[in-house]
Amino acid sequence: MWNPFGAGSRAILEDLSSLDPARRKQAKTSLRRHKFRKSDLPALYEAIERQYPDDTDRFLSTRHALFRVLWKVNDPSTVDFIRRVHSSLQDNPDIRFCALRTLSEMSTEQSLRLLLDILIAHEPALGLSIHALFVPLLQNPKHAQVLFPKLFEALKTREYKHPIYCLAIAYRDNDRLSDTVIANCRAVLMQDYETALQDRETLPEDSQEYADAVALLQVVL
């Protein structure tokens, strides 16, 4: 009987594609327990580019688990890998989210710049997942100057508004984001405020979007 605790990296990754469902399940469980190393990255990248029976699962698919392994290995080459494969990933918000969360978890200047590029130019709305995407950034605010002011460009996507404002306000309150940086984005923030004001007629009076816009505009008005 296969022992998932004694299996090597390549055996685990190969068994993710096994025809035996029980074997696939054991291999997926082993992804969380096995210690992968930098030398395993080529095989991990190859595994992520395969197709799996659970690719359409809404949560916790095989590729979700594989991206979580990349968080732990945290190697700079992963940035270029995600840059190359992101647009070709299965049309599954959870898998796309995990690719972006990997960049967020890595929290290097290179990974965050790619994260910004994808959010602003390519990524469809991820709904509530965008809050989870920003959690590592709240915990590790050293790259506030990389994220802002460019992240404000993503305000054009409605689902991003509240998380972006929450992140900006948290940085400002902890002296990670200067009022000067915010003030330099006055035009973008004013435009978003005017949109929120127009939308307020169809939104509740305590709309979070309106409150968020006002909170930062107090700095620049």
Side-chain angles (χ1 to χ4, degrees):
M1 182 174 177
W2 185 71
N3 177 8
F5 299 101
S9 302
R10 186 164 291 278
I12 293 171
L13 297 176
E14 288 177 353
D15 279 336
L16 291 173
S17 299
S18 172
L19 296 178
D20 180 356
R23 201 173 185 89
R24 289 200 307 269
K25 184 177 180 180
Q26 286 181 319
K28 188 175 173 181
T29 298
S30 293
L31 287 176
R32 298 194 299 268
R33 298 169 174 159
H34 184 75
K35 185 173 182 179
F36 288 88
R37 304 181 183 278
K38 182 176 179 178
S39 57
D40 297 318
L41 283 172
L44 282 164
Y45 295 156
E46 181 181 337
I48 287 175
E49 292 193 81
R50 294 177 193 152
Q51 293 184 336
Y52 298 94
D54 63 358
D55 269 348
T56 58
D57 286 4
R58 189 173 179 183
F59 300 109
L60 303 178
S61 66
T62 296
R63 287 206 257 189
H64 175 120
L66 285 165
F67 273 114
R68 290 184 72 95
V69 173
L70 295 186
W71 301 2
K72 298 177 183 178
V73 178
N74 199 346
D75 184 79
S77 68
T78 296
V79 177
D80 287 334
F81 171 72
I82 293 175
R83 189 193 313 277
R84 179 172 64 81
V85 304
H86 179 265
S87 63
S88 63
L89 289 175
Q90 175 76 18
D91 187 19
N92 180 326
D94 183 58
I95 295 175
R96 296 199 312 273
F97 164 76
C98 284
L100 299 188
R101 179 65 185 262
T102 300
L103 298 173
S104 180
E105 288 282 347
M106 291 177 69
S107 200
T108 65
E109 181 174 346
Q110 291 74 21
S111 71
L112 295 183
R113 289 196 185 283
L114 177 57
L115 176 63
L116 285 170
D117 289 343
I118 292 174
L119 285 178
I120 292 168
H122 303 292
E123 186 58 38
L126 294 171
L128 293 178
S129 296
I130 195 71
H131 286 274
L133 182 62
F134 286 168
V135 167
L137 306 180
L138 283 167
Q139 297 171 343
N140 185 4
K142 64 180 180 179
H143 291 304
Q145 302 307 317
V146 176
L147 292 166
F148 291 98
K150 188 172 183 180
L151 187 56
F152 286 135
E153 295 177 29
L155 288 171
K156 62 187 179 183
T157 302
R158 188 167 190 170
E159 289 83 353
Y160 293 173
K161 290 177 183 287
H162 185 217
I164 289 173
Y165 278 125
C166 284
L167 186 64
I169 292 168
Y171 281 168
R172 186 199 64 184
D173 290 348
N174 289 282
D175 297 323
R176 300 287 183 173
L177 188 63
S178 71
D179 288 352
T180 301
V181 171
I182 298 173
N184 286 340
C185 302
R186 186 179 189 277
V188 173
L189 295 174
M190 279 296 300
Q191 181 178 359
D192 191 63
Y193 168 77
E194 290 171 359
T195 300
L197 194 60
Q198 293 169 2
D199 291 345
R200 201 178 187 194
E201 296 180 3
T202 59
L203 295 171
E205 282 201 21
D206 60 349
S207 166
Q208 190 62 54
E209 291 180 22
Y210 180 82
D212 290 338
V214 169
L216 276 190
L217 277 170
Q218 289 174 348
V219 176
V220 299
L221 293 180

